[in-house]
Amino acid sequence: MNYIQQAFKGRNEWYLYLISIFLILFGWQIIGGIPLLITAVLFSDGVGGFTKAAENNFLGIGIDSNLYLFLMILMFIFGLLALIVCIKYIHKRKFTTLVTSRKKIDWKRFWFAFVIWAVIAIIITTVGILMSPEDYVWNFKPVPFFTLLLVSFLFLPFQTSFEELLFRGYLLQGFGVLFKNRWVPLIITSVVFGLLHGANPEVEKLGYISMVFYIGTGLFFGILTLLDEGTELALGFHAANNIIAAVFVTANWTVFQTEALYVDHSEPSVGIEMFLPVFVIYPAVIFFLSKKYGWTNMKDKLFGNITVPVAQENIIDIKGVEENAS
């Protein structure tokens, strides 16, 4: 049974997806946002102060950047918990079926992807610093940096896991059941993933051309998931990407405004680094992984149809007979 077919191990009525999406958004944005809201109010002067806090991303008004990062991640943790509850109690299936088609989660795949992308990200960032050293300022402060390191490694994977399991897991499987194919869910989840990043400050500074990177990255993660029949690789890549982004370089126009090692003071512009990952590095990584894991029948895995497993068809037929008999 392939990855998308794992959804057939539970209930898939359309209204259950609507209920679940509502609960996930409620847990993520409402319940998860309460600690951030309370903290913002405590560090502001009433409603006006809160508005000012929001405009400044809660930084520069007395809130430690590491605390702010943790509170932001906490929102995703509540979203992840809501997703787990929905899978278990609404869709009536095991959480593992959301992660992989294998009998158990393959953590070796996760860590392999994590290390590979961490190395690539560090090399790319280091090359950028060496090529334009005048744009970067060394910002190492022991206590804030090591606190950031701790928060990033312990909690950022929850944020990236929520995004992956929501888009490359829950929605990819759900749309697969709905459209009975693979390529439509891949396109939809990649585009929605990119559009949700449209609120990032990078998009405001660089323009909507930067959506090429976000949608392309979502497409990359989705392709990995379909070809490997599980999200382990995507989970590893995404976690490594965000951790390196948080601890290595920061700027006043990026989503991660942290006590990173370097501060980029250059004027933001669209350059080759925007398109290099999408059109060169991602395809190269897919090719490398296809050789390592022996992926076969790749065309069908990306464009093939989704069918109801035979065992599931028998269950549906039995239910239908019982209902008619009653």
Side-chain angles (χ1 to χ4, degrees):
M1 188 179 291
N2 64 48
Y3 176 68
I4 289 182
Q5 285 179 320
Q6 297 299 306
F8 289 110
K9 291 183 177 180
R11 298 182 60 186
N12 287 293
E13 291 87 348
W14 64 268
Y15 60 87
L16 296 182
Y17 282 93
L18 292 181
I19 294 172
S20 295
I21 289 297
F22 172 79
L23 293 176
I24 292 166
L25 291 175
F26 184 79
W28 173 21
Q29 294 292 316
I30 306 301
I31 302 300
I34 291 176
L36 183 58
L37 177 63
I38 293 174
T39 304
V41 172
L42 291 176
F43 281 85
S44 65
D45 300 321
V47 177
F50 173 71
T51 302
K52 180 181 178 181
E55 292 174 350
N56 289 279
N57 291 326
F58 305 103
L59 300 177
I61 58 170
I63 295 182
D64 178 76
S65 62
N66 288 324
L67 174 59
Y68 170 68
L69 178 63
F70 171 74
L71 292 172
M72 288 296 294
I73 295 172
L74 194 60
M75 295 178 64
F76 293 90
I77 293 177
F78 277 100
L80 180 60
L81 290 174
L83 176 59
I84 294 172
V85 169
C86 290
I87 287 294
K88 184 175 182 179
Y89 295 104
I90 295 180
H91 291 280
K92 305 292 185 181
R93 60 186 174 103
K94 294 181 179 180
F95 175 69
T96 309
T97 63
L98 188 67
V99 181
T100 185
S101 62
R102 287 167 272 274
K103 292 182 179 180
K104 60 181 181 179
I105 299 172
D106 189 343
W107 289 106
K108 289 184 178 180
R109 274 174 156 80
F110 171 88
W111 286 113
F112 181 78
F114 183 96
V115 172
I116 288 294
W117 193 252
V119 171
I120 292 174
I122 290 173
I123 291 175
I124 293 175
T125 306
T126 301
V127 169
I129 294 173
L130 293 176
M131 290 180 64
S132 304
E134 69 280 1
D135 292 336
Y136 298 88
V137 175
W138 181 248
N139 186 54
F140 178 67
K141 302 170 186 175
V143 174
F145 174 74
F146 286 114
T147 303
L148 169 65
L149 206 62
L150 187 66
V151 171
S152 298
F153 273 92
L154 289 181
F155 299 107
L156 264 178
F158 287 104
Q159 177 251 323
T160 55
S161 295
F162 170 67
E163 291 188 1
E164 286 309 305
L165 294 178
L166 177 61
F167 288 97
R168 261 63 64 179
Y170 187 69
L171 294 179
L172 188 70
Q173 290 180 338
F175 285 127
V177 170
L178 176 63
F179 293 104
K180 298 297 188 294
N181 62 45
R182 297 164 178 263
W183 67 272
V184 173
L186 175 62
I187 297 300
I188 292 177
T189 55
S190 301
V191 171
V192 175
F193 175 78
L195 292 178
L196 284 182
H197 286 77
N200 285 8
E202 293 94 333
V203 177
E204 180 181 352
K205 283 289 184 179
L206 300 175
Y208 285 101
I209 188 64
S210 59
M211 298 304 292
V212 171
F213 173 76
Y214 290 114
I215 294 176
T217 299
L219 193 63
F220 170 61
F221 291 149
I223 290 173
L224 289 181
T225 299
L226 290 176
L227 292 180
D228 198 49
E229 300 292 3
T231 64
E232 292 98 332
L233 293 175
L235 288 168
F237 277 112
H238 202 161
N241 181 79
N242 284 27
I243 289 174
I244 298 303
V247 305
F248 215 100
V249 176
T250 188
N252 61 7
W253 50 273
T254 61
V255 68
F256 287 123
Q257 297 183 34
T258 62
E259 294 290 349
L261 289 176
Y262 287 92
V263 177
D264 181 0
H265 289 290
S266 65
E267 185 64 25
S269 61
V270 177
I272 189 174
E273 67 279 358
M274 180 69 66
F275 307 101
L276 183 66
V278 176
F279 297 106
V280 178
I281 298 178
Y282 292 166
V285 169
I286 292 172
F287 176 77
F288 169 73
L289 293 175
S290 71
K291 299 302 180 182
K292 175 176 174 57
Y293 293 112
W295 293 338
T296 58
N297 200 19
M298 295 170 63
K299 181 179 179 181
D300 185 64
K301 286 184 177 181
L302 294 178
F303 301 101
N305 294 325
I306 299 297
T307 58
V308 180
V310 175
Q312 185 68 23
E313 286 182 338
N314 293 336
I315 292 174
I316 293 174
D317 291 340
I318 292 173
K319 287 183 176 179
V321 171
E322 291 177 346
E323 289 175 356
N324 291 332
S326 60

